[in-house]
Amino acid sequence: MAALPDTAAQRAEFYQRISEHHMTPLWEVLGALVPPRPSSPALPALWRYNNLRPHVLDAGHLITAEEAERRVLVLENPGLRGQSCITQSLYAGLQLILPGEVAPAHRHTQSALRLVMEGQGAYTAVDGERTRMQRGDFILTPAWTWHDHGNEGKEPVVWLDGLDIPLVRSFDAGFSEKSGITTQIPERPEGDALARYGSNLLPVDYAPTAADPARVFVYPFEKTCEAMRQIARTTPDPHLGHKLRFVNPATGASPLPTMGACVQRLPAGFETRPVRATDGTVVLCLEGHGHVSVGNQDWAFGENDVFVVPSWHALSLHARSDTLLFSFSDRPVQQTLGLLREERL
Ligand code: GTQ
């Protein structure tokens, strides 16, 4: 029932009066605050790598990695412009590092993950250990770990950064510091963490608590591919195809407490049934090409294209060739908080 004219005027006057005391009526906003189902301001979107790449390389002529500290073009969700986020809780960007450049050591309470998209010869160092960055490698920078990057090769190197920046911002819990040294001196040989913590073995006295950062910080593409090739010999799930999640091998938990990541393989011609979930998800195509439908949007996608599936939007995928996808979301947070809902349609 519509309010009587004088009632509407009285209400408006009342809202004005209480506004001076920094109060506002709940009943005007209740529906949006406590929605019957998620209604994300984030929009489905796809970034075609062929369109982005020239601009990413142009950034290399404008600013050095050292001056920028991190030379990154942020992928902004078209529904959330100006907020540096791809979903309400996640940040994504494309980082470029040119031959001979370094991105100086720093650390922050935000966790980061990286997926190498192109180029050879770069490395990233995390708390005193380096790993070379090869296409398809999934690399972690857990919260408050020192990290720097460099390119000792001959080609530009580009990777996708995923961070929990908006999530940490929502807690007002962001801290960061720059190291006095630009490039960490390796304290251990490359591959040490993977051997000690990621080979179905653990140091005899290693007993991590939930807050300890994961020690394995690189998931080499070669190993991921090997696993996916092997399981491709079985029947794919109708909703997911062949989909596995990355874990911290020492605990079985998500590699980062705030972001979970998956790899998904769809054989040529396979079409997934739609799925929707409350974790808004960023997807990168590692191999193959196909069609994706998100809510009522759909696009063709190919290698290195990135798309975002906002919360509670139905996703279905149609692979035109054997397709391998990497994805990340805030799923571990939602699971811990009892918020995650998923529907296979
Ligand atoms: O590589 O440390 O895309 O601190 C944004 C913030 C990357 C990084 C980003 C960062 C980094």
Side-chain angles (χ1 to χ4, degrees):
M1 196 172 69
L4 301 170
D6 63 331
T7 313
Q10 279 173 359
R11 285 181 185 173
E13 189 273 329
F14 173 70
Y15 299 165
Q16 202 61 43
R17 249 188 296 144
I18 65 170
S19 177
E20 284 169 36
H21 300 279
H22 306 126
M23 292 195 293
T24 195
L26 172 64
W27 57 86
E28 294 288 345
V29 290
L30 183 59
L33 288 185
V34 187
R37 65 195 61 80
S39 150
S40 180
L43 299 172
L46 177 135
W47 290 262
R48 217 156 251 129
Y49 191 61
N50 283 343
N51 297 338
L52 306 188
R53 190 177 182 276
H55 301 297
V56 171
L57 294 177
D58 275 350
H61 300 298
L62 284 174
I63 191 163
T64 64
E66 194 143 12
E67 191 192 349
E69 192 168 347
R70 295 296 183 264
R71 190 204 287 116
V72 178
L73 299 185
V74 179
L75 302 183
E76 279 201 318
N77 189 290
L80 305 168
R81 293 306 307 269
Q83 299 177 48
S84 303
C85 50
I86 191 157
T87 70
Q88 294 257 75
S89 61
L90 298 173
Y91 157 105
L94 299 186
Q95 183 157 175
L96 168 70
I97 186 151
L98 295 171
E101 286 191 320
V102 295
H106 70 189
R107 62 177 177 177
H108 35 72
T109 48
Q110 293 83 358
S111 299
L113 59 82
R114 336 228 175 242
L115 201 293
V116 185
M117 296 172 77
E118 95 164 66
Q120 289 275 349
Y123 65 84
T124 195
V126 177
D127 273 353
E129 186 175 327
R130 273 190 189 186
T131 181
R132 166 173 23 169
M133 302 178 92
Q134 315 245 49
R135 185 167 189 282
D137 287 354
F138 169 50
I139 295 167
L140 308 178
T141 309
W144 211 241
T145 55
W146 291 109
H147 53 287
D148 61 270
H149 321 296
N151 185 346
E152 299 178 328
K154 296 185 171 67
E155 310 163 359
V157 175
V158 179
W159 64 80
L160 176 73
D161 278 327
L163 285 92
D164 54 9
I165 287 172
L167 194 65
V168 174
R169 184 165 59 198
S170 75
F171 293 119
D172 278 336
F175 291 88
S176 70
E177 59 185 25
K178 294 181 191 190
S179 171
I181 49 161
T182 304
T183 300
Q184 298 179 70
I185 297 150
E187 292 165 14
R188 296 175 296 281
E190 177 165 355
D192 193 84
L194 203 51
R196 277 178 214 273
Y197 301 93
S199 310
N200 296 321
L201 295 165
L202 286 174
V204 287
D205 55 356
Y206 180 64
T209 69
D212 287 342
R215 301 298 186 94
V216 168
F217 67 100
V218 58
Y219 298 74
F221 191 42
E222 207 175 277
K223 290 199 173 191
T224 305
C225 288
E226 204 179 291
M228 297 314 282
R229 259 197 310 273
Q230 176 63 30
I231 67 168
R233 295 159 63 187
T234 63
T235 309
D237 177 273
H239 290 89
L240 304 177
H242 291 104
K243 189 171 184 180
L244 299 177
R245 62 191 166 91
F246 289 95
V247 298
N248 174 347
T251 62
S254 170
L256 298 166
T258 49
M259 292 184 287
C262 289
V263 59
Q264 182 174 27
R265 187 184 183 282
L266 306 171
F270 193 79
E271 204 172 344
T272 63
R273 291 193 196 145
V275 180
R276 66 177 173 184
T278 50
D279 58 329
T281 302
V282 180
V283 184
L284 167 75
C285 176
L286 289 167
E287 285 177 5
H289 68 290
H291 249 90
V292 57
S293 145
V294 181
N296 45 28
Q297 291 268 11
D298 55 275
W299 302 281
F301 68 84
E303 222 173 87
N304 279 357
D305 292 348
V306 176
F307 56 87
V308 60
V309 185
S311 169
W312 218 235
H313 284 58
L315 164 71
S316 52
L317 294 155
H318 187 174
R320 306 283 184 196
S321 58
D322 287 353
T323 293
L324 200 62
L325 304 171
F326 168 81
S327 62
F328 71 96
S329 80
D330 61 12
R331 178 165 291 229
V333 183
Q334 294 204 26
Q335 282 174 318
T336 300
L337 301 182
L339 294 172
L340 186 77
R341 286 203 198 188
E342 188 172 28
E343 239 175 42
R344 297 186 185 186
L345 304 161

